[in-house]
Amino acid sequence: MGTIIIALIMFLALVTIHEFGHFIVAKLSGIKVNEFAVGMGPSIKSSQKGETKYSLRALPIGGYCAMEGEDEESNDPRSYDNAPAGKRFLTILAGPMMNLILAIIIFTIVVFNTGTSTTYVGGFAKDSSAKKAGINIGDQIVKIDDKNVNEFTDISKILSDYYSKNDSKEPIEVVAKSSDGNIKSYEIKPIFKNDIPLLGITSKMRNVGFFESIGLGFKETWRNIKMIFSILGMLFTGKLSFGALSGPVGVVKEIGNQAQNGAMSVLYFLSYISVNLAVFNLIPFPALDGSKLFTNIYEMITKKRVNKKIEEKVTVVGFVILISLILIITIKDIFTLF
């Protein structure tokens, strides 16, 4: 029950900060905002300030920024639909950008409190293939598949690249340097979790100062963005099955796993989900922010508006597809629990 509450709070926070991005830029752009809501469903409390109603709603599963003329016809000169394409573009872009800003801030907090990873082994996961092969805590991972390991994150990248081209049963060469300076080569068969190859090691952490942690917060956000696009590429090329995706149930389960490792692990996962939400919304698929960004760019280039009725119909189709996909993934996640 505690995990579900944490998940709802996290999801509510991510959606609220996303919608606040739309809200604040809409206000700055002179676009009329009819309502800013935290939560969905029946209103618990609301307050009218000027032209905007601010409401707290019963279901902590989302929120919204209702702009005049965004999803309906409006003759109001300050409606979203009547705003210049550039202002509409910035207003929509602000949602994903707020999620990225939140991710940078939280990653910075996590790195400042936990330190940054190194290429030295700090511990082992359960059933670690690296431990079984003979690698010890304190060893430095030097090379994998004859490729230099300069950062701990290089390990997952090299493994993914290797097993996208080779059979999962094949071992991979891992070169490690022990604490006494001896260098040894190991043939290791990684364990696979959701089609992702893992050596089953954790990194030895290095303490960092405040200003370095800010830089690392940006760096970690960028690394996660690249990783998400890499995963999307693997999904569409068939190198990774759609079974590796997780829906709401899978996310709740993972939050429970992270909660066992402490608050910083939960915060890191929150940042990761925030980056996911930002990147996912930037995809130019109907019903996502990316589709509106695309149509606004099209208008800025061609000076022509996309037909509103066609756009609405395409958005409905996209929404149905997204909901169907979420339901399928959720059913898959439920079955994996048993």
Side-chain angles (χ1 to χ4, degrees):
M1 186 64 182
T3 301
I4 294 175
I5 293 173
I6 293 172
L8 288 173
I9 292 172
M10 287 173 60
F11 183 71
L12 186 64
L14 293 178
V15 173
T16 299
I17 199 72
H18 180 97
E19 295 300 326
F20 181 74
H22 295 318
F23 169 80
I24 196 68
V25 177
K27 286 287 190 180
L28 291 172
S29 300
I31 296 171
K32 184 179 178 181
V33 179
N34 293 327
E35 183 178 1
F36 180 78
V38 177
M40 303 291 282
S43 177
I44 298 175
K45 188 176 181 180
S46 64
S47 174
Q48 186 77 31
K49 292 187 178 180
E51 65 187 20
T52 305
K53 182 170 83 171
Y54 301 86
S55 62
L56 178 65
R57 296 183 173 268
L59 303 177
I61 54 172
Y64 57 87
C65 171
M67 292 178 279
E68 176 73 22
E70 182 183 11
D71 298 312
E72 73 285 333
E73 295 290 338
S74 174
N75 294 320
D76 192 313
R78 293 181 53 238
S79 71
Y80 169 85
D81 210 33
N82 287 327
K87 289 185 176 182
R88 282 185 272 125
F89 176 85
L90 292 174
T91 299
I92 297 302
L93 181 64
M97 290 305 298
M98 284 297 289
N99 285 120
L100 290 178
I101 291 170
L102 177 66
I104 292 168
I105 292 171
I106 299 178
F107 277 137
T108 298
I109 293 170
V110 172
V111 171
F112 183 70
N113 282 276
T114 64
T116 187
S117 59
T118 66
T119 55
Y120 291 87
V121 178
F124 297 104
K126 185 180 179 182
D127 299 325
S128 168
S129 54
K131 183 178 182 180
K132 291 176 182 177
I135 290 178
N136 298 304
I137 290 177
D139 288 358
Q140 182 184 13
I141 306 300
V142 179
K143 289 185 178 182
I144 298 177
D145 189 34
D146 204 33
K147 295 179 177 64
N148 291 331
V149 176
N150 299 312
E151 297 180 356
F152 191 75
T153 53
D154 290 339
I155 296 173
S156 59
K157 185 178 185 302
I158 295 171
L159 289 174
S160 294
D161 289 345
Y162 182 83
Y163 285 103
S164 67
K165 305 168 187 173
N166 296 279
D167 190 274
S168 61
K169 295 181 181 179
E170 285 190 24
I172 189 169
E173 183 187 22
V174 178
V175 178
K177 183 167 71 173
S178 63
S179 55
D180 57 10
N182 291 324
I183 297 177
K184 188 175 179 180
S185 177
Y186 302 86
E187 292 291 321
I188 300 176
K189 291 182 180 180
I191 55 176
F192 282 79
K193 183 179 180 182
N194 292 330
D195 294 335
I196 299 173
L198 302 168
L199 293 181
I201 61 174
T202 58
S203 171
K204 181 179 179 181
M205 306 303 287
R206 174 179 66 83
N207 291 332
V208 297
F210 176 71
F211 291 106
E212 185 181 0
S213 66
I214 295 174
L216 289 170
F218 277 92
K219 186 176 181 181
E220 188 65 13
T221 301
W222 178 241
R223 186 188 73 81
N224 275 271
I225 291 171
K226 291 192 295 182
M227 180 178 67
I228 292 166
F229 276 112
S230 176
I231 291 172
L232 288 172
M234 292 170 68
L235 283 169
F236 286 108
T237 56
K239 294 177 181 178
L240 188 67
S241 72
F242 277 86
L245 295 177
S246 290
V249 174
V251 170
V252 171
K253 180 183 177 183
E254 186 59 31
I255 289 171
N257 294 335
Q258 297 300 325
Q260 295 177 11
N261 298 322
M264 290 300 115
S265 291
V266 174
L267 284 176
Y268 184 94
F269 188 64
L270 174 63
S271 299
Y272 172 70
I273 296 299
S274 192
V275 175
N276 269 267
L277 184 60
V279 173
F280 185 69
N281 264 284
L282 289 172
I283 297 173
F285 187 85
L288 297 177
D289 288 343
S291 66
K292 292 182 179 180
L293 292 174
F294 179 80
T295 56
N296 286 326
I297 291 172
Y298 172 82
E299 183 180 339
M300 286 188 283
I301 295 173
T302 66
K303 308 302 179 183
K304 296 178 181 179
R305 298 288 297 260
V306 174
N307 186 286
K308 185 77 173 178
K309 291 183 178 180
I310 294 176
E311 185 180 2
E312 288 173 355
K313 290 178 181 178
V314 172
T315 298
V316 170
V317 172
F319 182 77
V320 171
I321 292 172
L322 284 175
I323 294 298
S324 300
L325 181 61
I326 291 171
L327 286 173
I328 292 169
I329 295 172
T330 299
I331 292 169
K332 183 269 297 181
D333 286 343
I334 291 171
F335 276 108
T336 59
L337 292 176
F338 302 100

